[in-house]
Amino acid sequence: MYGDAERVRVVGPDPELSQWLATSFNRHFADVTAGLPWHEPELTTAPVEWDLDLASGMRAAAGGIEVEVTDPFDRQLTRNEAYDLGGEPHVLSTVWMPCRTGAITVDGKRIEGMPLITQDPLYSSAAIAEAEVWCRPAEAPSSPTHARASAPDPPDDPNETA
């Protein structure tokens, strides 16, 4: 997915999955939208080249868009119990790796910019999320979902069956 103030482009081999990921997840990430208006995504069906090395970084390329995020400087197992996805809380568990460098190229032209990195709190706008798991929070039942059956009294004669 790539977007700017004018449009949002989503590229992937499965347009239905690409659309769902962009509208259900990506559009709610502050780092993705960065205050920009959300536009209905322009879908491009194309294979994705994906190279990931957890020690050095990742590169993804598809449909004229290339993203490189490299030089990880930390690894953290994170869990957010109430990640807001458009008003619906979800549980997010992931291994998050902030990186020192990142680059985006669109149709052969490198987009200007540098990753934003802070130390307190530790953060980089160029980061890798690995082993990412999303789920809806479990709801505590308000009442028992089934009646508890009582066991019959044991027979007086141990050779007798109930």
Side-chain angles (χ1 to χ4, degrees), residues 116-154:
L116 169 66
I117 298 173
T118 63
Q119 294 302 316
D120 188 20
L122 185 61
Y123 170 82
S124 174
S125 59
I128 298 169
E130 177 62 12
E132 191 169 306
V133 177
W134 291 89
C135 63
R136 291 199 169 110
E139 293 184 25
S142 57
S143 62
T145 56
H146 62 281
R148 186 175 199 173
S150 60
D153 291 331

mmCIF file of all heavy atoms in Angstrom, residues 116-154:
data_model
loop_
_atom_site.group_PDB
_atom_site.id
_atom_site.type_symbol
_atom_site.label_atom_id
_atom_site.label_comp_id
_atom_site.label_asym_id
_atom_site.label_seq_id
_atom_site.Cartn_x
_atom_site.Cartn_y
_atom_site.Cartn_z
ATOM 1 N N LEU A 116 11.595 8.792 10.861
ATOM 2 C CA LEU A 116 11.574 9.506 12.135
ATOM 3 C C LEU A 116 11.943 8.489 13.204
ATOM 4 O O LEU A 116 11.293 7.455 13.331
ATOM 5 C CB LEU A 116 10.182 10.078 12.404
ATOM 6 C CG LEU A 116 9.940 10.631 13.801
ATOM 7 C CD1 LEU A 116 10.819 11.854 14.039
ATOM 8 C CD2 LEU A 116 8.483 10.978 13.994
ATOM 9 N N ILE A 117 13.000 8.789 13.974
ATOM 10 C CA ILE A 117 13.473 7.881 15.019
ATOM 11 C C ILE A 117 13.551 8.654 16.326
ATOM 12 O O ILE A 117 14.085 9.760 16.371
ATOM 13 C CB ILE A 117 14.855 7.299 14.664
ATOM 14 C CG1 ILE A 117 14.762 6.486 13.368
ATOM 15 C CG2 ILE A 117 15.395 6.441 15.819
ATOM 16 C CD1 ILE A 117 16.092 6.012 12.828
ATOM 17 N N THR A 118 12.996 8.073 17.394
ATOM 18 C CA THR A 118 13.117 8.659 18.737
ATOM 19 C C THR A 118 13.621 7.580 19.681
ATOM 20 O O THR A 118 13.429 6.383 19.439
ATOM 21 C CB THR A 118 11.774 9.216 19.249
ATOM 22 O OG1 THR A 118 10.835 8.134 19.362
ATOM 23 C CG2 THR A 118 11.221 10.282 18.317
ATOM 24 N N GLN A 119 14.243 8.002 20.758
ATOM 25 C CA GLN A 119 14.774 7.054 21.745
ATOM 26 C C GLN A 119 13.870 6.890 22.961
ATOM 27 O O GLN A 119 13.881 5.863 23.601
ATOM 28 C CB GLN A 119 16.177 7.498 22.190
ATOM 29 C CG GLN A 119 17.200 7.431 21.068
ATOM 30 C CD GLN A 119 17.344 6.043 20.473
ATOM 31 O OE1 GLN A 119 17.405 5.046 21.186
ATOM 32 N NE2 GLN A 119 17.352 5.958 19.149
ATOM 33 N N ASP A 120 13.119 7.936 23.318
ATOM 34 C CA ASP A 120 12.266 7.857 24.501
ATOM 35 C C ASP A 120 10.933 8.517 24.206
ATOM 36 O O ASP A 120 10.842 9.741 24.306
ATOM 37 C CB ASP A 120 12.939 8.516 25.700
ATOM 38 C CG ASP A 120 12.181 8.278 26.992
ATOM 39 O OD1 ASP A 120 11.374 7.315 27.035
ATOM 40 O OD2 ASP A 120 12.376 9.044 27.943
ATOM 41 N N PRO A 121 9.943 7.770 23.750
ATOM 42 C CA PRO A 121 9.933 6.308 23.665
ATOM 43 C C PRO A 121 10.672 5.826 22.419
ATOM 44 O O PRO A 121 10.756 6.554 21.423
ATOM 45 C CB PRO A 121 8.449 5.962 23.590
ATOM 46 C CG PRO A 121 7.839 7.128 22.886
ATOM 47 C CD PRO A 121 8.638 8.329 23.357
ATOM 48 N N LEU A 122 11.156 4.595 22.471
ATOM 49 C CA LEU A 122 11.835 3.999 21.332
ATOM 50 C C LEU A 122 10.845 3.842 20.187
ATOM 51 O O LEU A 122 9.785 3.244 20.352
ATOM 52 C CB LEU A 122 12.412 2.634 21.723
ATOM 53 C CG LEU A 122 13.247 1.958 20.646
ATOM 54 C CD1 LEU A 122 14.467 2.805 20.286
ATOM 55 C CD2 LEU A 122 13.677 0.588 21.122
ATOM 56 N N TYR A 123 11.188 4.422 19.028
ATOM 57 C CA TYR A 123 10.253 4.438 17.901
ATOM 58 C C TYR A 123 11.026 4.685 16.617
ATOM 59 O O TYR A 123 12.023 5.402 16.601
ATOM 60 C CB TYR A 123 9.220 5.555 18.096
ATOM 61 C CG TYR A 123 8.372 5.808 16.871
ATOM 62 C CD1 TYR A 123 7.265 5.017 16.601
ATOM 63 C CD2 TYR A 123 8.713 6.812 15.971
ATOM 64 C CE1 TYR A 123 6.509 5.225 15.459
ATOM 65 C CE2 TYR A 123 7.959 7.021 14.833
ATOM 66 C CZ TYR A 123 6.854 6.234 14.575
ATOM 67 O OH TYR A 123 6.116 6.438 13.439
ATOM 68 N N SER A 124 10.547 4.106 15.521
ATOM 69 C CA SER A 124 11.011 4.439 14.181
ATOM 70 C C SER A 124 9.826 4.325 13.233
ATOM 71 O O SER A 124 9.062 3.363 13.299
ATOM 72 C CB SER A 124 12.121 3.496 13.720
ATOM 73 O OG SER A 124 12.454 3.775 12.360
ATOM 74 N N SER A 125 9.696 5.287 12.355
ATOM 75 C CA SER A 125 8.634 5.214 11.346
ATOM 76 C C SER A 125 8.965 4.179 10.273
ATOM 77 O O SER A 125 8.110 3.832 9.470
ATOM 78 C CB SER A 125 8.384 6.591 10.724
ATOM 79 O OG SER A 125 9.563 7.079 10.113
ATOM 80 N N ALA A 126 10.207 3.691 10.260
ATOM 81 C CA ALA A 126 10.611 2.578 9.408
ATOM 82 C C ALA A 126 10.748 1.365 10.328
ATOM 83 O O ALA A 126 11.700 1.273 11.099
ATOM 84 C CB ALA A 126 11.932 2.878 8.708
ATOM 85 N N ALA A 127 9.778 0.470 10.291
ATOM 86 C CA ALA A 127 9.795 -0.666 11.206
ATOM 87 C C ALA A 127 9.252 -1.905 10.516
ATOM 88 O O ALA A 127 8.522 -1.814 9.524
ATOM 89 C CB ALA A 127 8.962 -0.354 12.451
ATOM 90 N N ILE A 128 9.618 -3.042 11.051
ATOM 91 C CA ILE A 128 9.133 -4.328 10.563
ATOM 92 C C ILE A 128 8.272 -4.946 11.657
ATOM 93 O O ILE A 128 8.665 -4.956 12.826
ATOM 94 C CB ILE A 128 10.312 -5.264 10.226
ATOM 95 C CG1 ILE A 128 11.164 -4.656 9.108
ATOM 96 C CG2 ILE A 128 9.802 -6.653 9.848
ATOM 97 C CD1 ILE A 128 12.489 -5.371 8.894
ATOM 98 N N ALA A 129 7.108 -5.432 11.286
ATOM 99 C CA ALA A 129 6.254 -6.185 12.208
ATOM 100 C C ALA A 129 6.257 -7.627 11.722
ATOM 101 O O ALA A 129 5.862 -7.907 10.597
ATOM 102 C CB ALA A 129 4.844 -5.611 12.232
ATOM 103 N N GLU A 130 6.727 -8.527 12.569
ATOM 104 C CA GLU A 130 6.833 -9.937 12.212
ATOM 105 C C GLU A 130 5.997 -10.745 13.206
ATOM 106 O O GLU A 130 5.829 -10.341 14.351
ATOM 107 C CB GLU A 130 8.304 -10.357 12.262
ATOM 108 C CG GLU A 130 8.572 -11.797 11.984
ATOM 109 C CD GLU A 130 8.168 -12.277 10.597
ATOM 110 O OE1 GLU A 130 7.863 -11.479 9.715
ATOM 111 O OE2 GLU A 130 8.149 -13.495 10.418
ATOM 112 N N ALA A 131 5.479 -11.865 12.778
ATOM 113 C CA ALA A 131 4.662 -12.734 13.625
ATOM 114 C C ALA A 131 3.476 -11.952 14.188
ATOM 115 O O ALA A 131 3.142 -12.050 15.349
ATOM 116 C CB ALA A 131 5.506 -13.348 14.753
ATOM 117 N N GLU A 132 2.835 -11.202 13.334
ATOM 118 C CA GLU A 132 1.720 -10.326 13.735
ATOM 119 C C GLU A 132 0.425 -11.129 13.843
ATOM 120 O O GLU A 132 0.059 -11.841 12.915
ATOM 121 C CB GLU A 132 1.578 -9.231 12.678
ATOM 122 C CG GLU A 132 0.673 -8.118 13.058
ATOM 123 C CD GLU A 132 0.797 -6.946 12.091
ATOM 124 O OE1 GLU A 132 1.906 -6.444 11.865
ATOM 125 O OE2 GLU A 132 -0.247 -6.549 11.550
ATOM 126 N N VAL A 133 -0.228 -11.005 14.988
ATOM 127 C CA VAL A 133 -1.486 -11.722 15.225
ATOM 128 C C VAL A 133 -2.522 -10.721 15.711
ATOM 129 O O VAL A 133 -2.278 -9.968 16.651
ATOM 130 C CB VAL A 133 -1.309 -12.842 16.278
ATOM 131 C CG1 VAL A 133 -2.641 -13.518 16.561
ATOM 132 C CG2 VAL A 133 -0.262 -13.845 15.819
ATOM 133 N N TRP A 134 -3.697 -10.731 15.072
ATOM 134 C CA TRP A 134 -4.815 -9.862 15.444
ATOM 135 C C TRP A 134 -5.986 -10.736 15.879
ATOM 136 O O TRP A 134 -6.228 -11.785 15.289
ATOM 137 C CB TRP A 134 -5.288 -9.048 14.229
ATOM 138 C CG TRP A 134 -4.338 -8.011 13.768
ATOM 139 C CD1 TRP A 134 -3.329 -8.168 12.859
ATOM 140 C CD2 TRP A 134 -4.305 -6.646 14.159
ATOM 141 N NE1 TRP A 134 -2.684 -6.991 12.674
ATOM 142 C CE2 TRP A 134 -3.269 -6.024 13.465
ATOM 143 C CE3 TRP A 134 -5.068 -5.882 15.050
ATOM 144 C CZ2 TRP A 134 -2.959 -4.691 13.613
ATOM 145 C CZ3 TRP A 134 -4.759 -4.547 15.199
ATOM 146 C CH2 TRP A 134 -3.722 -3.966 14.493
ATOM 147 N N CYS A 135 -6.725 -10.276 16.871
ATOM 148 C CA CYS A 135 -7.974 -10.936 17.223
ATOM 149 C C CYS A 135 -8.871 -9.950 17.957
ATOM 150 O O CYS A 135 -8.404 -8.937 18.466
ATOM 151 C CB CYS A 135 -7.745 -12.197 18.052
ATOM 152 S SG CYS A 135 -6.971 -11.920 19.640
ATOM 153 N N ARG A 136 -10.148 -10.258 17.962
ATOM 154 C CA ARG A 136 -11.081 -9.442 18.738
ATOM 155 C C ARG A 136 -10.959 -9.861 20.199
ATOM 156 O O ARG A 136 -10.752 -11.041 20.491
ATOM 157 C CB ARG A 136 -12.499 -9.641 18.235
ATOM 158 C CG ARG A 136 -12.671 -9.050 16.857
ATOM 159 C CD ARG A 136 -14.141 -8.834 16.541
ATOM 160 N NE ARG A 136 -14.243 -8.048 15.338
ATOM 161 C CZ ARG A 136 -14.670 -8.523 14.181
ATOM 162 N NH1 ARG A 136 -15.061 -9.771 14.090
ATOM 163 N NH2 ARG A 136 -14.723 -7.743 13.132
ATOM 164 N N PRO A 137 -11.098 -8.904 21.111
ATOM 165 C CA PRO A 137 -11.010 -9.271 22.531
ATOM 166 C C PRO A 137 -12.118 -10.247 22.912
ATOM 167 O O PRO A 137 -13.234 -10.149 22.407
ATOM 168 C CB PRO A 137 -11.174 -7.959 23.279
ATOM 169 C CG PRO A 137 -11.252 -6.882 22.260
ATOM 170 C CD PRO A 137 -11.343 -7.501 20.903
ATOM 171 N N ALA A 138 -11.782 -11.168 23.786
ATOM 172 C CA ALA A 138 -12.786 -12.117 24.275
ATOM 173 C C ALA A 138 -13.752 -11.372 25.181
ATOM 174 O O ALA A 138 -13.350 -10.533 25.974
ATOM 175 C CB ALA A 138 -12.109 -13.247 25.042
ATOM 176 N N GLU A 139 -15.019 -11.648 25.012
ATOM 177 C CA GLU A 139 -16.035 -11.025 25.866
ATOM 178 C C GLU A 139 -16.358 -11.975 27.008
ATOM 179 O O GLU A 139 -16.558 -13.169 26.790
ATOM 180 C CB GLU A 139 -17.297 -10.737 25.056
ATOM 181 C CG GLU A 139 -17.080 -9.673 23.997
ATOM 182 C CD GLU A 139 -18.360 -9.329 23.263
ATOM 183 O OE1 GLU A 139 -19.455 -9.518 23.843
ATOM 184 O OE2 GLU A 139 -18.254 -8.883 22.120
ATOM 185 N N ALA A 140 -16.389 -11.435 28.203
ATOM 186 C CA ALA A 140 -16.756 -12.252 29.355
ATOM 187 C C ALA A 140 -18.248 -12.539 29.278
ATOM 188 O O ALA A 140 -19.044 -11.624 29.047
ATOM 189 C CB ALA A 140 -16.424 -11.511 30.645
ATOM 190 N N PRO A 141 -18.640 -13.784 29.450
ATOM 191 C CA PRO A 141 -20.076 -14.089 29.389
ATOM 192 C C PRO A 141 -20.799 -13.425 30.558
ATOM 193 O O PRO A 141 -20.301 -13.394 31.672
ATOM 194 C CB PRO A 141 -20.139 -15.608 29.480
ATOM 195 C CG PRO A 141 -18.816 -16.037 30.016
ATOM 196 C CD PRO A 141 -17.828 -14.954 29.674
ATOM 197 N N SER A 142 -21.972 -12.867 30.269
ATOM 198 C CA SER A 142 -22.753 -12.209 31.316
ATOM 199 C C SER A 142 -23.539 -13.218 32.142
ATOM 200 O O SER A 142 -23.950 -12.952 33.246
ATOM 201 C CB SER A 142 -23.703 -11.184 30.705
ATOM 202 O OG SER A 142 -24.527 -11.821 29.761
ATOM 203 N N SER A 143 -23.785 -14.383 31.583
ATOM 204 C CA SER A 143 -24.465 -15.452 32.320
ATOM 205 C C SER A 143 -23.920 -16.771 31.796
ATOM 206 O O SER A 143 -23.379 -16.834 30.700
ATOM 207 C CB SER A 143 -25.976 -15.366 32.117
ATOM 208 O OG SER A 143 -26.283 -15.531 30.755
ATOM 209 N N PRO A 144 -24.081 -17.841 32.566
ATOM 210 C CA PRO A 144 -23.572 -19.135 32.083
ATOM 211 C C PRO A 144 -24.216 -19.493 30.748
ATOM 212 O O PRO A 144 -25.387 -19.219 30.516
ATOM 213 C CB PRO A 144 -23.995 -20.118 33.172
ATOM 214 C CG PRO A 144 -24.250 -19.284 34.385
ATOM 215 C CD PRO A 144 -24.679 -17.931 33.878
ATOM 216 N N THR A 145 -23.402 -20.068 29.872
ATOM 217 C CA THR A 145 -23.911 -20.433 28.547
ATOM 218 C C THR A 145 -24.590 -21.797 28.554
ATOM 219 O O THR A 145 -25.239 -22.150 27.602
ATOM 220 C CB THR A 145 -22.770 -20.432 27.518
ATOM 221 O OG1 THR A 145 -21.742 -21.307 27.983
ATOM 222 C CG2 THR A 145 -22.217 -19.033 27.339
ATOM 223 N N HIS A 146 -24.405 -22.553 29.625
ATOM 224 C CA HIS A 146 -25.091 -23.841 29.716
ATOM 225 C C HIS A 146 -25.396 -24.133 31.187
ATOM 226 O O HIS A 146 -24.706 -23.666 32.075
ATOM 227 C CB HIS A 146 -24.250 -24.964 29.104
ATOM 228 C CG HIS A 146 -22.933 -25.168 29.799
ATOM 229 N ND1 HIS A 146 -21.851 -24.358 29.567
ATOM 230 C CD2 HIS A 146 -22.555 -26.068 30.730
ATOM 231 C CE1 HIS A 146 -20.846 -24.754 30.324
ATOM 232 N NE2 HIS A 146 -21.238 -25.799 31.047
ATOM 233 N N ALA A 147 -26.451 -24.879 31.412
ATOM 234 C CA ALA A 147 -26.826 -25.243 32.788
ATOM 235 C C ALA A 147 -25.923 -26.377 33.246
ATOM 236 O O ALA A 147 -25.591 -27.266 32.463
ATOM 237 C CB ALA A 147 -28.283 -25.656 32.836
ATOM 238 N N ARG A 148 -25.550 -26.326 34.473
ATOM 239 C CA ARG A 148 -24.708 -27.377 35.018
ATOM 240 C C ARG A 148 -25.594 -28.541 35.443
ATOM 241 O O ARG A 148 -26.515 -28.377 36.232
ATOM 242 C CB ARG A 148 -23.931 -26.833 36.196
ATOM 243 C CG ARG A 148 -22.935 -27.802 36.728
ATOM 244 C CD ARG A 148 -22.117 -27.159 37.797
ATOM 245 N NE ARG A 148 -20.921 -27.944 37.966
ATOM 246 C CZ ARG A 148 -19.940 -27.586 38.722
ATOM 247 N NH1 ARG A 148 -19.989 -26.441 39.357
ATOM 248 N NH2 ARG A 148 -18.891 -28.347 38.850
ATOM 249 N N ALA A 149 -25.310 -29.688 34.918
ATOM 250 C CA ALA A 149 -26.101 -30.881 35.282
ATOM 251 C C ALA A 149 -25.594 -31.417 36.606
ATOM 252 O O ALA A 149 -24.400 -31.427 36.864
ATOM 253 C CB ALA A 149 -25.968 -31.937 34.195
ATOM 254 N N SER A 150 -26.507 -31.831 37.421
ATOM 255 C CA SER A 150 -26.092 -32.424 38.694
ATOM 256 C C SER A 150 -25.931 -33.924 38.499
ATOM 257 O O SER A 150 -26.677 -34.551 37.757
ATOM 258 C CB SER A 150 -27.101 -32.111 39.792
ATOM 259 O OG SER A 150 -28.354 -32.632 39.449
ATOM 260 N N ALA A 151 -24.942 -34.465 39.185
ATOM 261 C CA ALA A 151 -24.701 -35.902 39.084
ATOM 262 C C ALA A 151 -25.720 -36.640 39.940
ATOM 263 O O ALA A 151 -26.112 -36.157 40.996
ATOM 264 C CB ALA A 151 -23.284 -36.216 39.559
ATOM 265 N N PRO A 152 -26.156 -37.818 39.490
ATOM 266 C CA PRO A 152 -27.106 -38.594 40.308
ATOM 267 C C PRO A 152 -26.410 -39.080 41.576
ATOM 268 O O PRO A 152 -25.195 -39.226 41.620
ATOM 269 C CB PRO A 152 -27.502 -39.745 39.390
ATOM 270 C CG PRO A 152 -26.393 -39.862 38.404
ATOM 271 C CD PRO A 152 -25.808 -38.481 38.254
ATOM 272 N N ASP A 153 -27.202 -39.302 42.577
ATOM 273 C CA ASP A 153 -26.653 -39.845 43.811
ATOM 274 C C ASP A 153 -26.094 -41.234 43.534
ATOM 275 O O ASP A 153 -26.657 -41.995 42.740
ATOM 276 C CB ASP A 153 -27.743 -39.939 44.886
ATOM 277 C CG ASP A 153 -28.189 -38.564 45.348
ATOM 278 O OD1 ASP A 153 -27.366 -37.628 45.306
ATOM 279 O OD2 ASP A 153 -29.367 -38.436 45.743
ATOM 280 N N PRO A 154 -24.980 -41.556 44.192
ATOM 281 C CA PRO A 154 -24.429 -42.898 43.959
ATOM 282 C C PRO A 154 -25.378 -43.956 44.502
ATOM 283 O O PRO A 154 -26.107 -43.727 45.467
ATOM 284 C CB PRO A 154 -23.106 -42.886 44.733
ATOM 285 C CG PRO A 154 -23.215 -41.760 45.696
ATOM 286 C CD PRO A 154 -24.203 -40.795 45.131
#
